[in-house]
Amino acid sequence: MKHTDARLTDTEKDLLKSLLNQTVIEFIHDDFNMVSSSYLNVWLTTEYDIFEVHFEIEVLDYFGAPEDIAVVSIQKVEQSEVTSGLVGRKLIHDKVNKELKNIIIAEDTQTYIENGVSEQAFSFVSAIIFDFDTTKIMLTFFDVFSESINVYRGPHVEKQLPEAIDDIPEEDRESFRSTREMYSLLSQ
Amino acid sequence: MGSGNSGYNIGSANSFTVGQVDSGFLGGTATQHSLRENLSDVTKQFDLHQGYFGIPSTKTNSSRTRNIQSDNPKKTALQFYRLIARGGQEVPLDNGKGVRSIMSDKTVITYREVSSSDGTSAININVSNSTDNAGVKMQKIHFTKRG
């Protein structure tokens, strides 16, 4: 079976883990315009570092053909790199000032099945949830063609996470299977 | 950033626009359009079948990747974008590779003149936040040369 794996690397998970128990000062994203989404990036800042959650197109095999697919990556950046991916779009600096207690990662795997045999699979990060105890920030990455990160904030944001099967078009559901793995970085 | 009345200004970094945007909306419309408002004009020229434009890509097994074939794919892609995103709020992508328009129903349409995977022009229709997708499904359309 051909498997395209666009999940986080161990290095990226370790980088995220380094945020645990730190005070996140700000959460930075595009100024929302009708839709609560940020193009290409969001950032979390601590006293010393800026962590970027980046969602950018790479050419990957997508169920049988090369396709432009947006992939999540995590990195530390400098202040000068914190700019919107949209021309003229202002960035919003949302104050957090809370200790990060947990990070939950959701990873979906979509599998194409032909004649009962799994032929191709695509695994990707579907959501990252930053848990501050009294509130959470959830980022979702379902539109892999557009580099848009959907942003949710509140105490129960995980309820707004669509089911894995919801990302499979209805007409494809006989030939595709979708599964989701959710795990906490506390236990990694 | 806009090209004013000229309509086309493609490819220069940070100045990418493909339509008249003087009113603030693509095509110079007085109000922001919804996807539904534009659909009848789009379907006069492009087939829409079960929520999808064009034909399924023969290279991939996902219904979401589509092809529209023509003799002049880049021109056809621009024509399609200007019809479907008419009256949208258009913003250039910072990397100079394309534009993104948001419609009044929150459908987001992204146009890229050149896709990295095969060099074709491509349009992505994202209806995941739409309040009225008018039956159009999430899809990515490649504009390819008629064989």
Side-chain angles (χ1 to χ4, degrees):
Chain A
M1 182 178 71
K2 192 161 192 174
H3 185 198
T4 299
D5 191 349
R7 292 174 291 189
L8 294 178
T9 64
D10 288 343
T11 305
E12 288 169 328
K13 288 179 201 171
D14 287 343
L15 197 53
L16 279 177
K17 278 173 74 174
S18 72
L19 261 170
L20 289 170
N21 303 315
Q22 286 204 61
T23 297
V24 173
I25 297 170
E26 285 184 332
F27 169 55
I28 306 171
H29 53 80
D30 282 348
D31 191 6
F32 297 149
N33 176 26
M34 300 176 64
V35 177
S36 300
S37 71
S38 194
Y39 178 72
L40 274 184
N41 300 302
V42 301
W43 299 268
L44 288 95
T45 69
T46 65
E47 188 175 358
Y48 304 106
D49 294 306
I50 302 171
F51 292 76
E52 179 178 88
V53 180
H54 189 66
F55 191 43
E56 185 169 15
I57 279 175
E58 298 177 13
V59 178
L60 298 176
D61 186 277
Y62 186 69
F63 299 112
E67 185 56 85
D68 294 11
I69 297 294
V71 175
V72 177
S73 61
I74 312 292
Q75 56 200 330
K76 282 186 189 178
V77 297
E78 300 296 323
Q79 182 65 50
S80 59
E81 298 173 82
V82 180
T83 57
S84 175
L86 296 172
V87 174
R89 183 60 55 87
K90 193 171 67 171
L91 291 177
I92 298 299
H93 294 245
D94 273 342
K95 296 293 177 202
V96 180
N97 286 322
K98 291 183 192 304
E99 191 177 319
L100 184 60
K101 300 293 188 184
N102 194 5
I103 300 173
I104 308 285
I105 310 288
E107 292 174 338
D108 291 7
T109 296
Q110 299 176 351
T111 307
Y112 173 69
I113 300 162
E114 192 172 20
N115 299 322
V117 178
S118 297
E119 295 284 352
Q120 292 145 349
F122 171 56
S123 298
F124 63 102
V125 180
S126 52
I128 301 176
I129 302 169
F130 298 94
D131 185 349
F132 299 91
D133 248 2
T134 52
T135 192
K136 298 180 182 113
I137 293 168
M138 179 171 75
L139 311 174
T140 65
F141 310 92
F142 285 103
D143 186 8
V144 295
F145 300 134
S146 83
E147 303 174 320
S148 285
I149 303 169
N150 274 3
V151 176
Y152 306 81
R153 190 170 176 177
H156 307 296
V157 285
E158 62 275 19
K159 290 180 179 173
Q160 296 179 69
L161 181 62
E163 297 293 326
I165 192 66
D166 294 341
D167 195 44
I168 303 287
E170 279 182 21
E171 53 276 12
D172 285 351
R173 287 185 187 176
E174 279 190 16
S175 51
F176 277 81
R177 186 180 65 223
S178 187
T179 57
R180 173 171 296 158
E181 183 188 5
M182 290 186 78
Y183 57 89
S184 162
L185 288 185
L186 284 175
S187 57
Q188 289 281 303
Chain B
M1 69 179 185
S3 61
N5 292 319
S6 64
Y8 290 84
N9 174 21
I10 302 168
S12 57
N14 298 347
S15 63
F16 195 120
T17 183
V18 294
Q20 182 182 346
V21 293
D22 292 348
S23 68
F25 302 119
L26 185 66
T29 62
T31 59
Q32 188 175 15
H33 281 199
S34 66
L35 177 63
R36 182 179 291 278
E37 281 178 274
N38 292 342
L39 209 52
S40 63
D41 284 340
V42 181
T43 55
K44 280 176 192 163
Q45 298 185 47
F46 298 94
D47 288 338
L48 177 68
H49 181 64
Q50 295 183 340
Y52 292 109
F53 291 99
I55 57 174
S57 166
T58 54
K59 297 176 184 171
T60 176
N61 294 301
S62 171
S63 296
R64 282 189 175 148
T65 52
R66 318 292 298 178
N67 284 343
I68 290 179
Q69 298 180 329
S70 70
D71 294 328
N72 189 339
K74 289 199 185 305
K75 185 177 175 186
T76 306
L78 274 172
Q79 183 185 14
F80 183 94
Y81 172 73
R82 295 180 81 196
L83 286 170
I84 199 164
R86 180 174 157 77
Q89 281 185 31
E90 186 182 84
V91 182
L93 308 181
D94 192 42
N95 54 18
K97 291 181 179 174
V99 288
R100 196 172 87 142
S101 284
I102 185 162
M103 313 308 294
S104 64
D105 62 279
K106 301 181 183 178
T107 294
V108 178
I109 297 162
T110 307
Y111 168 86
R112 286 187 175 84
E113 188 183 16
V114 180
S115 54
S116 303
S117 55
D118 63 0
T120 62
S121 297
I123 291 174
N124 177 45
I125 304 172
N126 179 354
V127 295
S128 63
N129 293 301
S130 175
T131 54
D132 176 17
N133 64 5
V136 175
K137 295 176 179 170
M138 186 180 291
Q139 58 198 282
K140 180 172 182 181
I141 308 163
H142 290 273
F143 291 81
T144 57
K145 188 89 172 168
R146 201 191 309 272

